[in-house]
Amino acid sequence: MDHLVPPLTHADSYGPLATLARLVEEYYRAEVLDTNKLPVLRRQVWDLVRTARLEDDLKQIRLQRHGDHEHPWDERINEQGIPRALERLSGRGFAHLLEDLDAYLCDLGRAQIRGGLHVFGAPRPGRHSST
């Protein structure tokens, strides 16, 4: 007697993570087309990071070495609820943060996960036996 290994599939992004990925893309477009939207988009990005509970993930991403430089992290929160480490970022610094966040979200979406289980003695749905 043996068992079938569940098929692997990609995790994909959904819920707040998918919304955050779309917001990052919108920020990239606004950098070129309408820079007046950037402060609002920064706040929305941070709000979604908090909604998705990615604060610790973002902190770890920022603390990792980036080739020839490092990013310090100040955990103090300002009056608007934004960490001081993010508050002080210039346009270029925030863009660098978004690149890191975008790469992280892509990694999460591309992660391989088990795509379901099977019923003993029955083929997976959508698969037909050749007998």
Side-chain angles (χ1 to χ4, degrees):
M1 187 175 288
D2 202 357
H3 68 280
L4 295 173
V5 177
L8 295 177
T9 186
H10 292 285
D12 291 326
S13 295
Y14 57 91
L17 295 180
T19 305
L20 185 56
R22 283 192 300 275
L23 196 56
V24 167
E25 293 298 322
E26 185 177 343
Y27 189 92
Y28 288 150
R29 284 191 301 277
E31 280 183 314
V32 176
L33 301 173
D34 188 1
T35 56
N36 292 329
K37 290 183 178 180
L38 296 180
V40 172
L41 290 171
R42 279 184 184 205
R43 178 65 188 175
Q44 290 176 341
V45 165
W46 177 245
D47 287 344
L48 273 173
V49 163
R50 289 177 50 198
T51 298
R53 297 184 174 191
L54 293 176
E55 300 102 318
D56 289 336
D57 300 68
L58 188 58
K59 176 183 173 183
Q60 292 306 313
I61 290 168
R62 296 298 286 170
L63 289 175
Q64 293 174 356
R65 281 191 64 82
H66 285 80
D68 61 346
H69 65 282
E70 293 181 9
H71 297 281
W73 186 263
D74 185 348
E75 292 194 29
R76 293 177 295 164
I77 304 294
N78 70 12
E79 299 80 34
Q80 290 82 30
I82 298 174
R84 297 215 184 266
L86 301 182
E87 175 186 54
R88 294 187 204 127
L89 290 177
S90 64
R92 181 178 290 182
F94 193 77
H96 186 53
L97 168 77
L98 281 185
E99 290 171 8
D100 293 340
L101 183 59
D102 192 29
Y104 180 69
L105 292 172
C106 287
D107 287 346
L108 286 177
R110 287 191 312 250
Q112 287 194 335
I113 60 171
R114 292 185 174 119
L117 299 176
H118 63 279
V119 176
F120 183 71
R124 292 192 315 247
R127 304 247 348 222
H128 300 288
S129 171
S130 59
T131 56

